[in-house]
Amino acid sequence: MLQHMSIKWKLLTILIFSNVLSLLLALIFLLVNSVSEMKQTAMSDLNAMADLIANRSTASLSFDDSSVAKENLAVLNDMREVKTACIFNQEKLLFAQLGRQITHCPDELTFFSSYFDGFLLHIVRKIVLDNEEIGSVYLKADLTDVFWDKLQFIALILTFLFFSSLITFSLTAPMLNTVSVPITRLVQTARKVSRQKNYSLRAQKFGDDDLGVLVDAFNKMLETVEQQNKALVNVKNNYLTLYDNNPTMVFYLNMEGMILSVNRFGARQLDQTVENIQGRSIYDFTHPEDGNLTQALFDLCQLNPHKVYKQELRNICRDGRVIWVRASARLLVNEQAQYNFLLVCEDVTETKRLAEKIEYQASHDALTGLVNRREFDAYVLKIVEQSQQDHSRHALCYLDLDQFKVINDTCGHMAGDELLRQLGDVLRHNIRQNDILARLGGDEFGVLMYNCSLEQALKVSEELRNVVRDFQFGWEDRSFSVGVSIGVTLISPTSGNAVELLKEADAACYAAKEKGRNRVHLYMPDDEEMASRQGEMQWVEKLQRGLEEDSFCLFGQLIVPVTEDDEGVHFETLVRYKDKQGNTIPPGAFLPAAERYNMASALDRWVIKNLLSWLSKHPKRLEKLSLCSINLSGLSLSDESMLDFIDEQFEIWNVPTHKICFEITETAAISNLSYARQFIESLRDRGCYFSLDDFGSGLSSFAYLKNLPVDFLKIDGLFVKDILEDKVDRAMVESINSVGHVMGKQTIAEFVENEAILQQLKDLEVDYAQGYGIAKPVPLDEIKF
């Protein structure tokens, strides 16, 4: 009960209890002490009276005078506590007794010592005469009245003490407030802080005593708690802000998948509120097809609680919208040893869509929307593997549009792109349902026909050829028709790999073009045309590797003046290929492939760079050099960056431009006459020379010659080698030489194989000669300067 009282009432209770206890103890002490003192006093007084009576009674006993004995007892008449007073003789028989006694004396004295019986005091004293006991005095006193007198005195004292205590208490009680009030206020403040969680409150200080120190300590503690609480609140708010606004969906789940909590961002992602989500199953928001994946994710977490597992899943929003998330889950254990799942989901919908878009773009042609070359190759690879496993047969078609370049050059690239888009749609609607149509690049398409016989493949190919032939392309106010050359190869368990199959289909397509275009050609392993075509295709990889690994080397063949004039060294630069066995391969083996597969320009760049580098590193030979010829292909003439490349190489190697002569073929120059003229004039302005190679092989050579500002005419060797036996060839050489001189150009005769031909050229006044009869091609380091 005391522990539930306030501090004030506790102090008052203690004060009252201590006063009452003091009074009680005082009462007990006074009672005990008074009774003890009363008994001792009574015994002492009565013993003294008994001794006095005994001394006076010796004579009365000796003379047997009882009246005198009664007179001796009369001294006790004033002592009201004495109730009985007796004198006994030597025989212990009653001799005399007090006349006023309340109780009668016994006839015979049967006890011989004094004792108390409650408040009754029995006194026995001997009467001795000459050391001989002649009798006894017996007194009996009742101390009850004396005790009550004492008790009244004690009551008076206690009354005084009680009222003194009351006065003391009334004076002390207000002083207790100096202790109780500060403590009460301190307690009230503590309760208010606890109830309101307001740590900015402070207790009131009433003094600098111990309670003041306690209040200061309490307020200091509140200040510390307030600061810590503010810090904790800030941390909590920051955490809640991070938790709710974290750009991930954070779910706390029980083992059955019920959502115990979710952050606000996660709820917003699902178009829900936190209250609507909590208490529901995570499967309510999981795409039905991904339920098993979600359960498998949770199963993995239970197998390895310390590991985080991830899985891409689909969630369903309130409006039915589906979002992709990358879910990360792990198993957690709380303080009560309860297991729960932590599921963090990152919205990857845009990433997924972008990835799908990128994946689509990576596998489809941007212009036509058809499968691209990379994806088509993958399909071919799979179908080859399938054929080897189940012995199925399929067909591969390679389509190359005819006359596409005419439309592209005439109407521009926009027209060409639109033609490819429209033809892509036309072809897509005319292939079989399960077949694959792809744009392989430029104006080339591919068709992969699944489970297709040879007859069916040829039939479908013819249908595609007819569809393209009948297609009319309109651009602005013009209409165009195109054709298509199709190469077909069969895919069987004995077929080669995917690369070989594509080469076979390409070779068959090329054969179709060679035979007149707009036709279908079936690949046959023993076809000589396709064997040659495949040989060229094999050179493509070698040429690429050769350019990367510098597997080419430079040779030179001297060009000498027909007269004996010493003009310095003049040679034509020739390129050779070095295979892995160290064999030197002549250009006739790989130049057709380089021309056909658009690698001639890259090869020309390699020759220019390495020749100028060699000349720069041999300054003495460069000084003796009169002129060095470099062959340029038709692709280089149409390469807009070739001029800049040549300028850059001249600047790097510091070779005089007047020592370099570029050779171009008549056919290449005529195919793009305006650009060829511009190209030639640009380099001639820089100091370079130009030579027109194989002149005379074209049908209109002389008609174009006046439009080409070249310095040399190289007479085609087909006319030169038979000049001694064939009068027509001699007349051609003579006319070319004459026209060239008239136009201010010098002439060079090729294929000069002996001294007789050289002498004939002297007679015709040709300026220079080149051929095996003059000098064979040798490595540059072996040319004699």
Side-chain angles (χ1 to χ4, degrees), residues 141-211:
D142 187 352
L143 302 178
T144 302
D145 293 338
V146 177
F147 174 72
W148 280 110
D149 291 341
K150 289 284 187 182
L151 195 60
Q152 290 176 356
F153 177 74
I154 292 173
L156 181 62
I157 293 174
L158 288 177
T159 301
F160 173 77
L161 290 175
F162 175 73
F163 283 104
S164 298
S165 297
L166 285 178
I167 295 171
T168 303
F169 180 76
S170 62
L171 294 175
T172 305
M175 298 178 63
L176 293 177
N177 290 334
T178 60
V179 176
S180 63
V181 170
I183 295 177
T184 301
R185 297 288 178 82
L186 183 63
V187 171
Q188 291 174 348
T189 303
R191 287 177 177 172
K192 194 172 182 181
V193 169
S194 177
R195 185 173 58 254
Q196 299 179 359
K197 306 298 181 184
N198 183 4
Y199 299 104
S200 63
L201 297 175
R202 296 293 182 268
Q204 183 180 358
K205 182 178 179 182
F206 291 89
D208 294 327
D209 55 0
D210 292 345
L211 288 176

Side-chain angles (χ1 to χ4, degrees), residues 32-186:
V32 173
N33 186 65
S34 296
V35 171
S36 178
E37 183 180 1
M38 177 189 70
K39 287 182 177 181
Q40 289 179 1
T41 302
M43 182 167 284
S44 177
D45 291 346
L46 290 178
N47 277 331
M49 292 302 295
D51 287 339
L52 179 62
I53 294 171
N55 288 335
R56 288 181 177 181
S57 298
T58 53
S60 61
L61 283 173
S62 296
F63 296 105
D64 194 22
D65 186 356
S66 61
S67 59
V68 175
K70 286 182 179 180
E71 291 177 0
N72 290 336
L73 292 173
V75 298
L76 298 173
N77 286 330
D78 295 332
M79 300 179 68
R80 60 187 181 86
E81 69 272 14
V82 178
K83 304 300 181 182
T84 302
C86 308
I87 297 176
F88 292 90
N89 59 19
Q90 190 173 10
E91 286 81 15
K92 306 300 182 183
L93 297 175
L94 180 63
F95 178 71
Q97 58 182 355
L98 183 65
R100 66 164 184 81
Q101 60 189 15
I102 298 172
T103 58
H104 298 286
C105 295
D107 294 333
E108 184 177 1
L109 184 65
T110 58
F111 53 90
F112 307 102
S113 60
S114 300
Y115 68 93
F116 276 100
D117 182 13
F119 286 110
L120 296 177
L121 175 59
H122 300 271
I123 300 295
V124 179
R125 303 299 289 180
K126 295 178 181 179
I127 301 173
V128 181
L129 180 64
D130 296 332
N131 295 325
E132 180 182 357
E133 181 180 353
I134 61 173
S136 301
V137 177
Y138 167 66
L139 300 177
K140 179 181 178 182
D142 187 352
L143 302 178
T144 302
D145 293 338
V146 177
F147 174 72
W148 280 110
D149 291 341
K150 289 284 187 182
L151 195 60
Q152 290 176 356
F153 177 74
I154 292 173
L156 181 62
I157 293 174
L158 288 177
T159 301
F160 173 77
L161 290 175
F162 175 73
F163 283 104
S164 298
S165 297
L166 285 178
I167 295 171
T168 303
F169 180 76
S170 62
L171 294 175
T172 305
M175 298 178 63
L176 293 177
N177 290 334
T178 60
V179 176
S180 63
V181 170
I183 295 177
T184 301
R185 297 288 178 82
L186 183 63

Side-chain angles (χ1 to χ4, degrees), residues 386-414:
Q386 178 182 333
S387 176
Q388 293 173 350
Q389 292 173 0
D390 59 12
H391 299 281
S392 56
R393 294 181 178 272
H394 317 274
L396 174 63
C397 300
Y398 201 100
L399 292 75
D400 192 345
L401 298 180
D402 301 325
Q403 307 304 323
F404 172 76
K405 191 174 184 301
V406 173
I407 298 174
N408 213 32
D409 292 345
T410 304
C411 302
H413 291 292
M414 291 182 63

Side-chain angles (χ1 to χ4, degrees), residues 31 88 116 220 236 284 322 344 359 382 386 640 672 777:
L31 286 174
F88 292 90
F116 276 100
K220 185 68 176 177
K236 178 183 177 182
D284 293 343
V322 176
V344 180
E359 183 179 358
K382 290 179 182 178
Q386 178 182 333
E640 296 179 358
N672 196 346

Side-chain angles (χ1 to χ4, degrees), residues 443-560:
D443 58 349
E444 299 171 347
F445 296 86
V447 179
L448 187 58
M449 301 180 185
Y450 288 91
N451 299 309
C452 185
S453 64
L454 173 60
E455 294 77 12
Q456 199 173 11
L458 292 175
K459 178 183 177 183
V460 173
S461 298
E462 283 293 341
E463 291 175 354
L464 292 177
R465 185 185 68 81
N466 292 332
V467 165
V468 175
R469 182 196 61 194
D470 297 338
F471 173 75
Q472 292 293 316
F473 173 67
W475 185 257
E476 296 176 348
D477 57 347
R478 307 173 69 177
S479 178
F480 299 90
S481 61
V482 293
V484 62
S485 298
I486 303 176
V488 181
T489 186
L490 294 179
I491 302 174
S492 66
T494 59
S495 298
N497 57 36
V499 175
E500 292 175 352
L501 285 169
L502 288 168
K503 288 180 179 179
E504 291 173 0
D506 184 24
C509 179
Y510 177 73
K513 281 187 175 294
E514 289 292 309
K515 289 185 176 182
R517 304 176 185 272
N518 194 32
R519 65 187 64 231
V520 177
H521 190 94
L522 175 66
Y523 173 81
M524 301 296 291
D526 55 352
D527 193 323
E528 293 183 1
E529 292 182 9
M530 284 184 286
S532 173
R533 171 71 167 166
Q534 281 193 305
E536 291 181 358
M537 293 174 65
Q538 292 175 357
W539 265 109
V540 173
E541 182 180 355
K542 292 181 180 180
L543 289 172
Q544 291 174 340
R545 188 170 61 249
L547 291 171
E548 293 172 359
E549 300 176 358
D550 280 338
S551 298
F552 296 97
C553 57
L554 296 179
F555 277 57
Q557 186 177 27
L558 291 175
I559 299 174
V560 300

Side-chain angles (χ1 to χ4, degrees), residues 561 563-570 624-627 746 767-768:
T563 62
E564 299 298 331
D565 296 340
D566 186 9
E567 299 179 358
V569 176
H570 181 184
K624 296 179 180 180
L625 178 66
S626 171
L627 199 61
Q746 294 182 297
D767 298 306
Y768 296 93

Side-chain angles (χ1 to χ4, degrees), residues 153-404:
F153 177 74
I154 292 173
L156 181 62
I157 293 174
L158 288 177
T159 301
F160 173 77
L161 290 175
F162 175 73
F163 283 104
S164 298
S165 297
L166 285 178
I167 295 171
T168 303
F169 180 76
S170 62
L171 294 175
T172 305
M175 298 178 63
L176 293 177
N177 290 334
T178 60
V179 176
S180 63
V181 170
I183 295 177
T184 301
R185 297 288 178 82
L186 183 63
V187 171
Q188 291 174 348
T189 303
R191 287 177 177 172
K192 194 172 182 181
V193 169
S194 177
R195 185 173 58 254
Q196 299 179 359
K197 306 298 181 184
N198 183 4
Y199 299 104
S200 63
L201 297 175
R202 296 293 182 268
Q204 183 180 358
K205 182 178 179 182
F206 291 89
D208 294 327
D209 55 0
D210 292 345
L211 288 176
V213 174
L214 178 61
V215 170
D216 287 339
F218 179 77
N219 289 337
K220 185 68 176 177
M221 181 185 68
L222 281 179
E223 183 180 351
T224 302
V225 172
E226 181 183 16
Q227 293 175 353
Q228 293 178 348
N229 184 65
K230 287 181 179 179
L232 288 174
V233 169
N234 289 335
V235 171
K236 178 183 177 182
N237 291 337
N238 290 338
Y239 169 77
L240 290 176
T241 301
L242 289 174
Y243 175 71
D244 283 329
N245 298 314
N246 188 343
T248 56
M249 306 162 65
V250 183
F251 298 92
Y252 192 56
L253 316 172
N254 65 11
M255 298 301 289
E256 287 73 37
M258 180 179 292
I259 301 172
L260 304 178
S261 68
V262 60
N263 65 338
R264 296 190 184 279
F265 180 86
R268 288 196 300 269
Q269 289 296 97
L270 297 174
D271 293 332
Q272 301 277 356
T273 63
V274 173
E275 293 72 21
N276 289 342
I277 292 180
Q278 288 178 344
R280 297 176 64 182
S281 173
I282 189 66
Y283 296 100
D284 293 343
F285 307 99
T286 303
H287 195 281
E289 296 178 3
D290 292 345
N292 292 334
L293 287 177
T294 304
Q295 184 60 51
L297 179 66
F298 292 151
D299 292 341
L300 287 174
C301 293
Q302 294 183 66
L303 289 175
N304 193 346
H306 302 292
K307 190 173 181 180
V308 176
Y309 291 92
K310 298 183 179 182
Q311 178 67 54
E312 286 194 354
L313 304 167
R314 287 169 289 180
N315 284 346
I316 302 177
C317 302
R318 184 168 59 180
D319 58 359
R321 182 169 49 89
V322 176
I323 61 174
W324 278 93
V325 297
R326 182 180 293 110
S328 301
R330 67 165 298 179
L331 193 66
L332 298 179
V333 184
N334 61 17
E335 296 81 359
Q336 290 77 34
Q338 295 176 335
Y339 289 91
N340 300 100
F341 291 115
L342 176 64
L343 181 66
V344 180
C345 300
E346 179 186 0
D347 189 343
V348 294
T349 305
E350 291 302 320
T351 304
K352 191 78 174 177
R353 290 173 181 168
L354 180 61
E356 291 174 352
K357 183 177 180 181
I358 293 173
E359 183 179 358
Y360 179 85
Q361 292 175 344
S363 60
H364 289 75
D365 175 56
L367 180 64
T368 62
L370 300 176
V371 171
N372 61 14
R373 177 63 181 262
R374 175 176 169 271
E375 189 71 6
F376 189 74
D377 290 347
Y379 278 118
V380 174
L381 180 63
K382 290 179 182 178
I383 203 66
V384 169
E385 294 175 353
Q386 178 182 333
S387 176
Q388 293 173 350
Q389 292 173 0
D390 59 12
H391 299 281
S392 56
R393 294 181 178 272
H394 317 274
L396 174 63
C397 300
Y398 201 100
L399 292 75
D400 192 345
L401 298 180
D402 301 325
Q403 307 304 323
F404 172 76

